[in-house]
Amino acid sequence: MVSDIKQAPESPAGESGTDNPAATSDARHTGAGHPVPEHTDAHALNLPWLIERTRIWTRRALILALRVSRLVVTGLRHFRPGIRYLWRALLRRWRRSLEFRTVSMTLLLSIASFAVVGAYLSNQIANNLFQERLKQAESESRYYVKQVQDTFDGSQANDQSSVITLVYDTLKAVEGNGSVIQRRYVFEAMPEQTKPRNRWVESRASDQLTVRVIPPALRKAVQESGKDQYWASTEFPVGDQDHPGIAVGNKVTFNGTVYELYLLYDLDTAQQTLDEIQNVLWAGGAALVLMIGGIAWYVTRNVVSPVSHAAVVSEKLAAGQLQERMVVKGEDEVARLGASFNHMAASLQEQITQLATLSQMQQRFVSDVSHELRTPLTTVRMAAEVLYDARDDFDPINKRSAELLYNQVERFQSLLSDLLEISRFDAGAAVLDAEPTDIFQVVSHVIDGASPVAAEYGSEVRLTSRHKRIIVEMDARRIDRILRNLLLNAVEHGEGKPVHVSVAANHDAVAVSVRDFGIGMTAAEAARVFDRFWRADPARARTTGGSGLGLSIAAEDTKLHNGWLQAWGHKGSGSNFRLTLPLKKGGTIGKSPLQLEPADIRLPGAAPERQMLVLDAGEGAPEQDSATQDSVMPAPSEGTTSPARNLAEDDDAGTRGGATP
């Protein structure tokens, strides 16, 4: 065969290469007459084609690998956002759904409980099965070891054949099927014996087992003991699998040689029984968890559904759908809750309807009265103006009467205008006419208008800002009215002390604060200062305004701009009113550029130079530094003009108005 294999490749080469020259000459030429190299064969002829095909398949493999890598990268790129989205959805569901939270907690607690109980039961069953098999193995091992030792002690064999036959038959009788578990043996002569060893029998084992399947600790214990019996858990091969078992070791002697006899009991049947029991436990536990989850969902749904329905009905009632009611079924606690809820909703609907009707009547009354009073008031005002203009021709008593009549008619006219404005707010007829406007123009106009009153009270109005120009989408007429009310109130209650007007802006809002150092007000008064017709001291004499509606109208104008109008006060330290507006129409305000409570609430002293009132510039506004220049705006006296109109040109350092005296 070897000569044939070796010779098989040589025969064709010899025929074509040396013995047949004609064939050689034919192979050296093609049909077209082109010469072919002498060593060219079929593989050499196909080499360019193979190279081209290899290049094409390599390119296709690279393209495929690139596409697969892109898909993997894309999947990984979207995997984490997907997991994050799922986690956030679960958290949102956990926070908002009592039903989901209850069922989830029930399932988690049930799974934990069944896991603990299942692990405990599985461990107990496994331990009991093992202990039962161990007792049986120890009992059988004592019996069979005694039987082997008795057979060896009573043996008369003295030749090799009879000794080998005796040992084989004796151990074969030990091997076999036990009552429950299978049994195998390993028979090994103890090493390093001082007595002469049996030269015919060294070791025997079942099913080609070796002494290596015996744990070393067990062998050591058996070798160092006398006639004691030891056991250990082990694994030994059975066919192509490893089975768990128990190895029981003893000593036996034969013809003066000491042997280690190990009986191995197969526990594979017990392991299969344990696996089946565990599978039944886990399957039953999973089924029970699902059943408990279904029961929890059903019970929770029956309890939570009326509560969810009540929440939906409450939201509709809050939205103005006063006719909404809960569906009541049965006579249990939930049904009584639904009936009580419906009764409460009916009572609220009746009261709200009555209040709405009364409010509409009051609004209509105020509106009608205001409109009806306009014509006679115009007539009275014209007559009062005629009398007021001719007062110099009257005697002192009539002259004073004409002046009082003229002033009170003016006050009545102001009150009537405020009532008409309030009626428009109540009727929802107020419209915001917003246009981009520089807020400093409005502030300057307000300061100019309040200058005569400030001069009368002896107060200085000071404007402080770090900006030269702030464009705001606002209704200039309404903002002018708001700031005029704030400034006149500050002057009136400032007791002749300076009034600070501060302007600041950030990325989404602008704020104007009016700070006085007068009598101030408490926190309770600051909370009610925007109520209609409310006055901190009703007995206090007033010389400006007097309708009690100015701050209320200012608050309504601020709401139209989606802004904030807030007040702070402290008895003896003055008060601070802050107006905050969004830069864009319909915008929102995150933080006001100015703080409401001043950092320094002490009264200004008499020192020639005092620290300026510090107000938080907020986000987006630059911090104050020593380069800031302030200009004082004193109240002008008669014959002088207010410098407020020149604010845009008098500051090269980028600040507007305002140092303290």
Side-chain angles (χ1 to χ4, degrees), residues 5 69-70 120 174 187 190 193 237 246 336 344 347 386 388 390 392 395 409 435 466 470 508 531 536 575 582 604 615:
I5 295 174
S69 63
R70 287 179 178 175
Y120 174 77
V174 172
F187 188 71
M190 284 187 59
Q193 298 188 44
I246 301 175
R336 292 198 297 272
M344 178 191 67
S347 178
V386 172
Y388 183 78
D392 294 335
D395 57 82
V409 168
E435 293 181 356
R466 296 188 170 278
I470 302 176
D508 60 0
D531 294 346
S575 59
L615 294 176

Side-chain angles (χ1 to χ4, degrees), residues 497 515-518 520 568-576 595-604 611-615:
K497 297 182 178 65
R515 170 80 160 100
D516 68 79
F517 299 89
W568 169 90
H570 189 274
K571 280 294 186 180
S573 298
S575 59
N576 186 40
Q595 66 182 34
L596 179 61
E597 182 177 352
D600 183 8
I601 62 173
R602 293 175 298 176
L603 288 173
Q611 185 175 0
M612 185 173 61
L613 178 67
V614 179
L615 294 176

Side-chain angles (χ1 to χ4, degrees), residues 211-228:
V211 75
R212 287 178 293 183
V213 301
I214 307 301
L218 177 60
R219 289 201 64 190
K220 182 178 180 182
V222 171
Q223 291 171 3
E224 295 176 354
S225 68
K227 295 296 183 179
D228 296 332

